[in-house]
């Protein structure tokens, strides 16, 4: 997802340099057709290219882009940037709501199966998980957003806002935690293949408690699909559909 974030940042640089977004907050309202073509290794130098596809009236722009290493294209994506006037509205002070989950026995498990570690571990805990009657899995994860997040430490001017691309990673880590906790998948890793569709309805800021409700199904063999929603209180802040593959460590 950091490759997609590089494309988003390049699009923002373009819009601000062109004088089309002065002072307003720019954020991703939707993303689609994100495909991860090959792994990126330490030491790779990535070239980021971008194409401005369409303007949707004042304050909304559609882009497509890709990243590439010396070995070839590593990631492709399409996304829409929108602008929002400042200041941002205050966050609600109501207590977070517990998301409803399907009835049945639940299992709480450790996140130790995840290969992620600080500062790239973005799930605090799994609150609920269970196997559904059709063989799919349902899982509810939790992430508390604070002002000490690693992506806020650069000290960028303006309000502290979680990049929407990071919400994709949070959802993927919740789904990954459930998948890798299955004893059948011990010793394996989960890899992003694609993000078919993602919609974002508002920005996420320090003080938001995110509840991530994902459903996971294996399509065939080592390939799987996951879809779900991210909530803050009773408000949906993101909807995500992704595909992944399991491989040996």
């Amino acid at each position: 997802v950091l490759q997609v974030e590089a494309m988003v940042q390049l699009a923002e640089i373009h819009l601000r340099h062109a004088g089309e977004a002065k002072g307003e907050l720019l954020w991703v309202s939707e993303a689609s057709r994100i495909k991860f073509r090959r792994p990126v290794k330490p030491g790779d130098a990535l070239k980021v290219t971008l194409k401005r596809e369409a303007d949707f009236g004042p304050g909304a722009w559609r882009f497509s882009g890709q990243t590439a290493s010396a070995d070839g294209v590593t990631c492709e994506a399409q996304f829409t940037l929108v602008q929002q006037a400042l200041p941002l509205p205050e966050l609600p002070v109501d207590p977070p709501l517990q998301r409803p989950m399907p009835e049945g026995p639940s299992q709480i498990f450790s996140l130790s199966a995840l290969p992620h570690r600080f500062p790239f571990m973005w799930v605090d805990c799994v609150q609920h998980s269970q196997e559904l009657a059709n063989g799919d899995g349902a899982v509810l994860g939790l992430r508390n957003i604070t002002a000490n997040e690693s992506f806020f430490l650069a000290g960028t001017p303006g309000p502290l806002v979680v990049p929407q691309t990071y919400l994709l990673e949070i959802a993927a880590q919740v789904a990954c935690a459930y998948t890798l906790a299955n004893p059948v998948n011990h010793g394996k890793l989960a890899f992003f293949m694609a993000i078919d569709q993602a919609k974002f309805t508002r920005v996420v800021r320090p003080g938001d408690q995110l509840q991530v409700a994902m459903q996971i199904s294996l399509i065939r063999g080592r390939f799987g699909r996951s879809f779900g929603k991210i909530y803050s209180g009773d408000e949906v802040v993101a909807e995500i559909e992704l595909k992944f593959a399991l491989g040996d460590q």
Side-chain angles (χ1 to χ4, degrees):
V1 294
L2 296 181
Q3 299 173 77
V4 183
E5 178 61 21
M7 300 178 207
V8 172
Q9 291 184 15
L10 183 60
E12 181 172 349
I13 291 171
H14 162 73
L15 292 172
R16 296 199 184 282
H17 181 73
E20 297 180 69
K22 294 183 177 180
E24 296 88 355
L25 174 69
L26 291 175
W27 59 286
V28 178
S29 64
E30 64 85 30
S32 61
R33 299 181 181 180
I34 300 175
K35 300 183 185 301
F36 299 94
R37 298 297 189 184
R38 64 182 69 241
V40 175
K41 306 178 294 297
D44 280 344
L46 296 182
K47 179 181 179 180
V48 185
T49 57
L50 203 63
K51 180 180 179 181
R52 184 164 166 171
E53 298 283 358
D55 294 4
F56 302 123
W61 305 269
R62 179 73 171 172
F63 291 90
S64 64
Q66 67 177 31
T67 55
S69 67
D71 296 326
V73 174
T74 59
C75 179
E76 299 170 337
Q78 296 183 9
F79 57 90
T80 300
L81 272 179
V82 298
Q83 63 182 8
Q84 180 172 340
L86 298 175
L88 296 174
E90 294 294 326
L91 289 176
V93 296
D94 296 331
L97 299 178
Q98 180 69 33
R99 301 261 57 85
M101 292 291 286
E103 295 183 0
S106 173
Q107 177 189 9
I108 303 299
F109 49 81
S110 168
L111 297 175
S112 59
L114 284 175
H116 308 80
R117 296 295 180 265
F118 179 85
F120 211 64
M121 168 70 88
W122 295 337
V123 181
D124 291 334
C125 69
V126 171
Q127 296 178 302
H128 181 109
S129 70
Q130 68 181 97
E131 184 174 345
L132 304 180
N134 62 357
D136 290 355
V139 62
L140 181 68
L142 179 71
R143 174 63 174 175
N144 292 298
I145 302 298
T146 73
N148 296 320
E149 306 293 346
S150 58
F151 39 79
F152 292 149
L153 299 183
T156 304
L160 299 181
V161 171
V162 177
Q164 284 71 47
T165 53
Y166 284 61
L167 300 180
L168 301 175
E169 179 66 23
I170 292 172
Q173 288 188 16
V174 170
C176 181
Y178 175 88
T179 303
L180 297 182
N182 188 328
V184 175
N185 296 324
H186 282 182
K188 295 184 180 298
L189 293 175
F191 299 94
F192 256 138
M193 288 181 57
I195 299 168
D196 296 329
Q197 186 70 40
K199 298 179 181 179
F200 307 96
T201 55
R202 76 157 171 85
V203 296
V204 173
R205 293 177 284 164
D208 276 314
Q209 184 183 80
L210 302 181
Q211 291 185 312
V212 187
M214 301 295 291
Q215 188 165 330
I216 303 98
S217 60
L218 288 178
I219 302 173
R220 66 181 190 278
R222 62 188 185 93
F223 299 101
R225 173 176 177 265
S226 182
F227 56 92
K229 298 179 180 181
I230 301 179
Y231 299 84
S232 179
D234 60 354
E235 184 179 9
V236 176
V237 299
E239 300 180 42
I240 297 165
E241 300 178 19
L242 60 89
K243 292 187 177 74
F244 62 89
L246 296 175
D248 295 327
Q249 293 188 11

